[in-house]
Amino acid sequence: MGAEGSICHKEVGSDHEVSDGKKKKKKDKKEKKQKKSKKDRSDSSDSEDPWAQHRTSVEVSGGVQLNSLLEAFELCDPERSGYVRDHSRFAEVAMRLTGLRDSADSFWRQLDRDGNGAVSFPEFVEWAQMNRVALPIGLTGGTGDVGPGGVAFPSTWQGPRDPKVAVGWNQRTMVTDGKLFAELQQMLDLTYKKVWTRDRKATGNNQVPDGYQLVRAMHSDNFSDWNRYYLKRHRLVQDCANGGWLQQYQPLTAQASGICARHTLRAEACNEWLLFHGTNSHAAEAICRGDFTMHLSGSATGTLYGKGTYFAESITKADEYAKADAEGNCCALVCRVAGGQVLYNDEVEPSGEAMQDMVLKDGLYHSIIGDREKCRGTYKEYVVFDADQVYVEYILVYKRKYVAV
């Protein structure tokens, strides 16, 4: 695109010549009232598209016109870092897109909903949709069933596929399929490691369990979160392809071939994985309802590799952060994680802040793998700093198994 400088606003389809005469003004006012009345009585064709409330475009100096949200995002991100950080620049574009007048800080609070200080393309798209900016997203190459905004539903989607209903869909469904349940149990079995770390103490039992028994599982369908994850993954695939190379990393969970095949992971294109996140049942439901909150990242797991969200390839590692209830049931999430270009580190004492900057500020990488298995004989840790790189697939409720001595 490469267009910078002054920005001017234009409404598509509103290039009417308006005379100064009172007669013309009265006629226009009457026609507007009639159109509004007609719209109130019946569904217009735009009602099929939840975002089609008004049609706008942005024109920059030199006559360059922005015809998609992707182009608008890139105008806010001239360095092509993948994130918007300039509050004033975004506010200027936001005012042109929406016609609203507000302070840069106010616009930014609406935009940076996960609180990490850097706004990704999915966050930008969600902000635009909430404000009824009806430009097309601007993605190419999508396949499969398509929902609102051109986002394809995942193959495991159990919610409605009608765009008008799917927009607000956010439900958990009990897993009753025996084959799927067995695949999830296999995932626990194959990723189990009898390795102790000091984080085990937080569970209240310093002994490493001898295994884990799945009690029940729930599948999560959250269209808003999927929408953002899909858009972010699409961008990571493009970034990895444009980079000309991708170092692939295969987590321990990849051994659970059944569940991985079910979710058609794009491992070769952008290091997409299924990983665990240990938690409690209350927090699990909260995360499924509203995504991970980046400004709280590191509060439970520490910040060895920066203030991101931490995931495990082994259920034993994730279990260190799970809280058992009165019945002895523990909880972990199974999440899709789009790793993209990975910053690998096997240092005993890494610089978490420096590594975080290489992801968020320099834009050289999209995630971190801290290989404590290599340097300490424990576990690998997977870290992301953007909530849009994570989508929760399952809530697992399980029991710790101990062999009687």
Side-chain angles (χ1 to χ4, degrees):
M1 192 188 71
E4 298 186 15
S6 61
I7 304 172
C8 63
H9 180 255
K10 175 184 176 183
E11 293 251 349
V12 175
S14 61
D15 297 334
H16 302 290
E17 293 183 3
V18 183
S19 67
D20 294 330
K22 294 183 179 179
K23 185 176 181 180
K24 178 64 176 175
K25 289 184 179 180
K26 288 182 179 180
K27 183 179 178 181
D28 289 347
K29 186 175 182 180
K30 183 178 180 181
E31 288 178 352
K32 184 176 181 181
K33 186 175 182 180
Q34 288 174 341
K35 288 180 180 179
K36 184 180 185 301
S37 177
K38 185 177 180 180
K39 181 177 178 62
D40 291 340
R41 290 194 308 267
S42 63
D43 292 331
S44 69
S45 59
D46 278 350
S47 67
E48 296 301 319
D49 177 1
W51 320 126
Q53 301 300 317
H54 59 270
R55 301 294 179 185
T56 62
S57 65
V58 173
E59 197 173 273
V60 297
S61 60
V64 178
Q65 184 170 303
L66 306 182
N67 298 304
S68 71
L69 295 178
L70 179 57
E71 292 181 4
F73 176 81
E74 290 176 345
L75 180 63
C76 297
D77 175 32
E79 294 83 15
R80 299 297 187 271
S81 67
Y83 294 95
V84 175
R85 297 183 179 84
D86 189 327
H87 296 203
S88 298
R89 190 174 186 85
F90 167 69
E92 185 178 0
V93 173
M95 284 190 286
R96 302 302 183 181
L97 283 174
T98 64
L100 301 174
R101 308 290 297 182
D102 213 334
S103 68
D105 287 343
S106 179
F107 274 123
W108 188 261
R109 283 193 296 271
Q110 298 173 31
L111 183 67
D112 187 20
R113 298 182 69 190
D114 66 6
N116 69 349
V119 173
S120 67
F121 181 54
E123 288 177 285
F124 183 87
V125 170
E126 186 171 83
W127 168 85
Q129 291 173 343
M130 288 176 62
N131 284 276
R132 298 295 188 264
V133 178
L135 290 176
I137 292 174
L139 299 184
T140 58
T143 59
D145 292 334
V146 176
V151 173
F153 289 105
S155 59
T156 54
W157 180 259
Q158 297 178 14
R161 295 176 183 269
D162 180 342
K164 289 180 290 185
V165 180
V167 169
W169 192 259
N170 188 348
Q171 298 287 336
R172 258 57 61 205
T173 307
M174 194 68 68
V175 172
T176 57
D177 180 87
K179 183 179 180 181
L180 173 56
F181 194 88
E183 289 173 355
L184 292 168
Q185 178 63 62
Q186 182 189 51
M187 193 179 187
L188 300 184
D189 296 339
L190 292 175
T191 65
Y192 170 79
K193 292 175 63 178
K194 196 172 181 64
V195 176
W196 179 92
T197 79
R198 61 185 179 184
D199 291 335
R200 173 63 52 186
K201 298 176 183 178
T203 67
N205 186 338
N206 207 27
Q207 181 183 352
V208 178
D210 294 298
Y212 300 95
Q213 184 63 50
L214 188 61
V215 176
R216 61 182 178 272
M218 288 163 283
H219 180 257
S220 182
D221 285 314
N222 181 327
F223 183 78
S224 176
D225 284 358
W226 173 256
N227 184 71
R228 293 169 66 165
Y229 178 80
Y230 179 93
L231 296 175
K232 182 66 177 183
R233 186 184 64 177
H234 185 93
R235 292 287 289 173
L236 293 189
V237 169
Q238 291 184 329
D239 288 348
C240 292
N242 293 338
W245 66 278
L246 176 66
Q247 177 66 53
Q248 294 180 35
Y249 292 89
Q250 191 173 70
L252 197 57
T253 52
Q255 295 183 21
S257 56
I259 193 70
C260 290
R262 182 183 291 270
H263 289 277
T264 58
L265 302 176
R266 304 197 65 182
E268 296 182 358
C270 67
N271 276 319
E272 185 178 25
W273 313 301
L274 288 179
L275 297 172
F276 297 106
H277 184 81
T279 185
N280 59 66
S281 58
H282 176 74
E285 177 60 28
I287 291 171
C288 288
R289 285 198 311 268
D291 214 339
F292 287 88
T293 304
M294 285 298 164
H295 68 265
L296 298 177
S297 295
S299 58
T301 57
T303 57
L304 185 64
Y305 297 102
K307 295 180 180 179
T309 302
Y310 287 63
F311 297 88
E313 64 175 3
S314 169
I315 182 59
T316 318
K317 178 60 181 175
D319 179 57
E320 294 178 341
Y321 308 104
K323 309 297 182 184
D325 63 17
E327 298 177 351
N329 291 329
C330 302
C331 187
L333 302 175
V334 175
C335 305
R336 284 184 189 249
V337 179
Q341 295 287 9
V342 175
L343 175 57
Y344 173 86
N345 183 281
D346 59 6
E347 298 172 353
V348 174
E349 297 182 2
S351 173
E353 184 177 355
M355 296 179 71
Q356 179 176 320
D357 286 346
M358 292 179 73
V359 175
L360 280 179
K361 293 184 178 180
D362 300 340
L364 301 175
Y365 301 95
H366 306 115
S367 64
I368 294 171
I369 292 180
D371 197 344
R372 310 303 288 176
E373 182 179 38
K374 181 177 179 180
C375 68
R376 286 296 198 188
T378 56
Y379 300 95
K380 292 185 178 74
E381 301 197 38
Y382 295 70
V383 189
V384 298
F385 301 90
D386 189 338
D388 298 328
Q389 287 175 241
V390 184
Y391 179 72
V392 179
E393 289 284 2
Y394 301 97
I395 300 175
L396 304 185
V397 178
Y398 62 91
K399 288 186 181 294
R400 296 167 177 143
K401 298 192 300 182
Y402 297 93
V403 177
V405 179

